[in-house]
Amino acid sequence: MIRLVKVELKRLYARRLTIIGIAGVVLITGLMLFATWRSARPLSESELQQAQTQFEQVHSEWVRSADEWKKQCERDYASAPDPKPSIAEYCSYPEPRLEDFGRPRFTFADTMPDLLYGASYLLAGAAFLIGASFVGAEYSSGSLGNWLTFEPRRLRVYGSKLLGALLGHVPVAVVTLALLIGGTALIVELVGNTSTTSGKVWGDLLAIAGRSVVLAAVVAALGSVFAMLLRHTAAAIGLLMGYLVLVEGVFGGFLIKAQPWLVRLNVDAWIKHGTTYWVDNCQTMPDGIYNCTSLEKTVSFGHSVWYLGIAAAVIVALGALVFSRRDLT
Amino acid sequence: MDDLAVSTRGLRKTYRTRRGKRVVAVRGLDLDVPAGGVHGFLGPNGSGKTTSIRMLLGLIRADAGTMTMFGRPVPERLPEVVSRVGAIVESPKFFPAFSGRKNLELLAEAIGAPRSRVGEVLAETSLGERGKDKYRAYSLGMKQRLAIAATLLKEPDLLIFDEPTNGLDPAGIREIRETMRSLGAQGRTVLVSSHILAEVEQVADTVSIIGHGRLLASGTVAEVIGGAGKGTVKVAIDNHEAAIPVLTEAGWTVRLDGGYLYVDGAAHPADVTRRLAERGMYVAELAPVRADLESVFLELTAGEGLGTDEIKPGPRGGDR
Ligand SMILES: Nc1ncnc2c1ncn2[C@@H]1O[C@H](COP(=O)(O)OP(=O)(O)O)[C@@H](O)[C@H]1O
Ligand SMILES: [Mg+2]
C-alpha cells in the first residue's frame, strides 16, 4: 500500500496539470504579495495632504453641527420603530479622527488573516481541480483498467489514489502559505506597521494556515473521489460548481434556516475558527407595520468540524463502495 | 488442476445498455485453456471474447459461473495469481502525456519489480531508444509493443492478448505472431483472442471457438478441423456418371466439382474405395478433405448468426 501511494505521488507530480496548477497558485500568491506591498507603503506626501484636507472639512463640519444633529436625533428617537438601541448609542456622533481618512493604515495583524482566508479558497479550488483530473485522466485514457491488471485489489487502488492526492497537496499548500506569510511579514517589516504583531497573532495565523493546509489536502482527495464516481474530470468539476451555485447559492438564499448546513459556511467556519451569518427576522407589528430585524448567528468551529468530517467520510465511503463494485469496460 | 491455465464453467454476463436494454454478452461459457503453448480464443465480433477476458481479470463482475486461473478461483483469489498474468485488453491503454518508459516505471514500482526490468523489457520489445518519447506520439505498433513490454514486467506464466493485431500492418502482425510463438515456446501460456482465423491458425496449439457467448468447439487445431471436415473425401475417377449413383445408394452425398467428386458422410475413406471396387470401378486418386479453420469456423457459427441477437455489431463491431 505504501508502495502504491509512493507511485501515485510520483504520478501526481509528473502530471502537467499539477505543475500548471501549482504554478498558477504561486503566481496568484505573488500578485497578492504585490497588492500587499502597494497598500503597505506609507502614505505619500500628496496622499497625506489629501487626507488632511478631507479630515479638516469633515471635522469643522462636525464642530459646527454635531450638537444640532444630536438634538434632532433625540427628538426623532421616540418615533423610531422598536426594537432600537439606547438613545445614547442611537444618537452618538463621535469626533472624526485623522486616521480614518485617506488610504487605510496597514497592519500585519489586521491584514494577514484576510490574505490567508483568500489563499485558503484559492488552494482548495486548485486542489479540487488537480485531484479530480488526477483520477479523471485515468478514466479518459483507459489506463485505470490496465492498472487494475497489475493491482486488482480495488480498495488498495482507491485508497492509494486518494492518499496520493491528499499527501501530495500538503507540501504545495505549506509552501504557498509560507510564501504568503513570509512575504507579507517581510513587506510589513520593510515598509509597514508591525506594532500590533504579538505572539498571539502569530499563533492564530499559524492555526489558520494549518487548517488551510488540511482543507486543501482533503479537498484534493474529494476531487479524486468525485472523478472516480463520475468517471470524468469535467463532470466532477461541473458537479461541484453546480452544487455550490445552484443548491447553496440559489436555494441556500431562500432557506435561511438551512444556512448552518451549507458547505460554504462550514468551510468558512473551519478556516476562520467559527463564522457568523445573518438571519432576517420579519414580522408584522400590532400597529400593522411590517418590520425586519437582522440577527447575527454563529456557526461554531466545532459544528464545522463535525459537519465537514462526516460529509467527507460519507463521500469517501460512497466512492469506495462504488469503485469496489464497478464494471470497468 | 494446475495443468489448466484458465478454466471457466457456466460463465454469464448480461450488460444493461444506457437505454435499459439487456444484452447477454456471455451465456454459460465453459472454457479450458491448457497450461503451456498458444491457445486461440476465436469468435466473431460481439461473441463475448473481450467480456470473458474482462471477467477473468476482475475488471467486470460475472453474473453467474465460476472461473479459475492456475487452479485458483477468481476473482476471489486473483491477487494471488495476478503476478503470473499479463494482459492486454482490447487496445493498449497508458498515460498519453508520459513517456513509454515513465509509464512502465510506474507500473514496475507498483508491483515491486526492479527498475532495471524496465530497460530490459523495452529492449526485448525493440522499443529501446523510443522509450523516452511520449506515449501519445507512438504508432499503433509501438503502443502494442509497449503493452507487451508492460506485461513482461511481471515475467508472467499466462499472457492474455485480446485481438492484439487489430489495426496493425502486415509487418506488425507478423511481429506479434512471432512474439506469441516465442512466448509459447518458452513454456508460457498465451491466450489470444481473435476474429481473424488465419492469424491464429499459424501459431495456436489449441483453440476454442465461441459464438453467442457459448463454446462451440475446442481442442487442438487438427482436432477442430478434423472434426468439422470429417468424412469428406475427394475422389478422382474416370466414370463420374456411373460412380455417382453407386455412392448415393450407400447413403452418402456426392457433389461434382472441378472434375472431382466430393463424398460426404463416409465413416472412413476406405469405405468409398471398397464400394466402388465392388462395382468394378477403381479410383485414380483419393484424399480426405482437410477443412481449414476458416470453413470450420463458418460452419460452426453459421447457425449462430453474428455475435449476439440483441445488438447487431455495427462497423465498430462489438469492440468498444
Ligand atoms: N459496456 C457494454 N455495455 C453494453 N453492451 C456491451 C458492452 N460491452 C460489450 N457489449 C456487448 O456485449 C457483446 C459482447 O461484446 P464483446 O465481449 O466485446 O465481444 P467480442 O470481444 O467478442 O467482440 C456485444 O454484443 C457487445 O455489443
Ligand atoms: Mg473484443
Side-chain angles (χ1 to χ4, degrees):
Chain A
M1 180 74 179
I2 291 175
R3 199 163 64 197
L4 284 178
V5 175
K6 272 197 204 155
V7 178
E8 295 295 351
L9 278 170
K10 272 193 194 157
R11 186 168 74 81
L12 179 70
Y13 288 128
R15 286 175 51 74
R16 201 170 46 175
L17 195 96
T18 309
I19 305 302
I20 293 175
I22 294 174
V25 166
V26 169
L27 185 76
I28 296 177
T29 307
L31 291 176
M32 284 165 89
L33 285 174
F34 180 69
T36 305
W37 174 74
R38 300 262 313 175
S39 51
R41 271 174 315 137
L43 299 192
S44 69
E45 202 54 44
S46 70
E47 280 174 321
L48 274 176
Q49 196 66 55
Q50 252 180 335
Q52 184 69 33
T53 327
Q54 274 177 18
F55 165 71
E56 278 163 10
Q57 271 175 11
V58 174
H59 193 260
S60 59
E61 177 90 0
W62 180 82
V63 170
R64 250 186 289 121
S65 323
D67 277 347
E68 197 178 309
W69 291 338
K70 200 171 167 101
K71 276 180 201 131
Q72 178 65 41
C73 173
E74 280 162 2
R75 261 177 268 133
D76 293 346
Y77 181 76
S79 58
D82 280 321
K84 54 195 169 196
S86 71
I87 188 160
E89 208 182 318
Y90 193 75
C91 298
S92 84
Y93 294 92
E95 178 172 4
R97 294 172 309 169
L98 177 58
E99 300 94 281
D100 298 333
F101 290 85
R103 185 153 54 79
R105 307 303 185 269
F106 183 95
T107 68
F108 184 69
D110 291 343
T111 312
M112 199 63 238
D114 286 336
L115 284 175
L116 282 179
Y117 301 152
S120 300
Y121 282 103
L122 172 69
L123 278 170
F128 188 90
L129 181 77
I130 295 172
S133 85
F134 183 55
V135 167
E138 298 199 84
Y139 273 103
S140 43
S141 66
S143 52
L144 185 57
N146 188 38
W147 194 256
L148 287 172
T149 66
F150 284 76
E151 176 49 89
R153 285 166 290 196
R154 297 268 180 112
L155 287 181
R156 284 186 182 217
V157 170
Y158 179 73
S160 64
K161 291 188 188 304
L162 261 55
L163 278 175
L166 186 114
L167 297 176
H169 275 83
V170 170
V172 177
V174 166
V175 169
T176 307
L177 295 174
L179 267 178
L180 186 64
I181 296 177
T184 309
L186 188 72
I187 290 169
V188 173
E189 191 68 38
L190 292 177
V191 296
N193 179 350
T194 53
S195 59
T196 50
T197 314
S198 61
K200 160 109 174 55
V201 168
W202 275 110
D204 288 349
L205 290 179
L206 290 183
I208 297 171
R211 291 195 298 271
S212 172
V213 171
V214 173
L215 179 74
V218 171
V219 166
L222 291 179
S224 298
V225 179
F226 275 43
M228 191 72 93
L229 285 169
L230 300 173
R231 310 173 197 239
H232 218 288
T233 311
I237 294 168
L239 180 76
L240 181 78
M241 299 298 247
Y243 176 78
L244 287 181
V245 171
L246 282 181
V247 178
E248 303 233 322
V250 178
F251 295 111
F254 293 122
L255 298 171
I256 302 297
K257 292 247 162 52
Q259 296 275 358
W261 307 106
L262 296 186
V263 170
R264 257 191 343 211
L265 209 66
N266 280 282
V267 169
D268 225 38
W270 163 260
I271 295 179
K272 297 180 179 166
H273 205 280
T275 191
T276 56
Y277 64 99
W278 294 91
V279 174
D280 282 339
N281 190 10
C282 295
Q283 58 198 84
T284 310
M285 304 310 252
D287 54 6
I289 294 172
Y290 186 71
N291 180 35
C292 290
T293 47
S294 284
L295 282 180
E296 191 180 29
K297 300 222 169 181
T298 44
V299 174
S300 71
F301 177 64
H303 181 276
S304 74
V305 171
W306 278 110
Y307 176 92
L308 295 174
I310 290 174
V314 167
I315 294 171
V316 168
L318 181 70
L321 189 73
V322 169
F323 183 60
S324 65
R325 307 172 57 88
R326 170 170 287 170
D327 279 358
L328 280 157
T329 58
Chain B
M1 286 277 286
D2 231 348
D3 52 336
L4 286 181
V6 171
S7 175
T8 74
R9 286 295 173 271
L11 195 60
R12 275 188 79 84
K13 177 72 187 181
T14 306
Y15 287 112
R16 230 148 287 146
T17 61
R18 293 250 160 74
R19 286 186 220 100
K21 227 163 57 175
R22 285 157 172 270
V23 179
V24 185
V26 175
R27 58 180 89 208
L29 179 68
D30 301 330
L31 178 71
D32 284 323
V33 178
V38 180
H39 186 86
F41 185 33
L42 300 165
N45 280 331
S47 57
K49 303 180 296 295
T50 301
T51 303
S52 306
I53 289 172
R54 283 190 196 281
M55 284 191 278
L56 276 172
L57 296 169
L59 295 175
I60 62 181
R61 293 146 62 92
D63 297 333
T66 56
M67 299 177 273
T68 63
M69 279 208 264
F70 298 112
R72 310 277 201 306
V74 291
E76 299 80 27
R77 290 170 71 185
L78 189 58
E80 289 169 37
V81 290
V82 76
S83 63
R84 298 173 65 186
V85 181
I88 308 172
V89 186
E90 294 194 325
S91 53
K93 276 152 195 150
F94 294 94
F95 293 109
F98 291 171
S99 68
R101 174 177 278 277
K102 179 88 195 171
N103 270 297
L104 293 191
E105 279 171 1
L106 291 172
L107 286 168
E109 195 177 340
I111 59 169
R115 189 171 260 237
S116 57
R117 189 80 195 119
V118 171
E120 288 167 22
V121 297
L122 281 173
E124 265 174 67
T125 48
S126 11
L127 278 170
E129 275 303 291
R130 304 298 306 272
K132 46 183 196 306
D133 295 354
K134 284 210 178 5
Y135 175 72
R136 182 189 289 137
Y138 281 12
S139 70
L140 191 59
M142 289 166 67
K143 288 179 177 175
Q144 200 61 261
R145 275 187 275 157
L146 185 73
I148 292 175
T151 63
L152 296 179
L153 285 172
K154 306 192 204 183
E155 315 204 37
D157 297 319
L158 169 64
L159 289 123
I160 301 178
F161 297 145
D162 186 16
E163 313 236 10
T165 53
N166 258 5
L168 294 186
D169 57 16
I173 292 177
R174 197 172 58 207
E175 211 171 273
I176 297 282
R177 195 182 289 150
E178 263 147 31
T179 306
M180 291 193 292
R181 192 177 278 141
S182 85
L183 288 167
Q186 289 164 20
R188 308 184 204 238
T189 310
V190 179
L191 172 60
V192 52
S193 84
S194 182
H195 66 280
I196 303 166
L197 303 149
E199 183 180 296
V200 165
E201 188 174 4
Q202 299 181 30
V203 287
D205 302 303
T206 50
V207 292
S208 294
I209 299 182
I210 71 165
H212 257 320
R214 249 192 313 246
L215 186 71
L216 300 177
S218 80
T220 63
V221 174
E223 278 165 4
V224 170
I225 289 172
K230 202 175 179 75
T232 303
V233 184
K234 182 172 139 186
V235 180
I237 195 160
D238 289 339
N239 190 353
H240 305 134
E241 290 73 27
I244 289 173
V246 172
L247 295 169
T248 33
E249 265 167 43
W252 302 325
T253 51
V254 184
R255 171 168 57 91
L256 179 64
D257 187 0
Y260 289 96
L261 295 178
Y262 289 84
V263 185
D264 251 346
H268 202 273
D271 297 342
V272 177
T273 10
R274 189 178 317 112
R275 191 88 193 182
L276 291 168
E278 279 166 12
R279 305 294 176 89
M281 287 177 266
Y282 298 93
V283 299
E285 225 183 277
L286 179 138
V289 175
R290 180 186 176 278
D292 63 359
L293 211 38
E294 197 73 48
S295 53
V296 175
F297 190 74
L298 289 174
E299 193 176 310
L300 284 170
T301 55
E304 301 281 338
L306 282 173
T308 48
D309 317 312
E310 288 84 348
I311 288 183
K312 285 247 164 64
R316 286 182 295 131
D319 299 301
R320 3 162 312 135

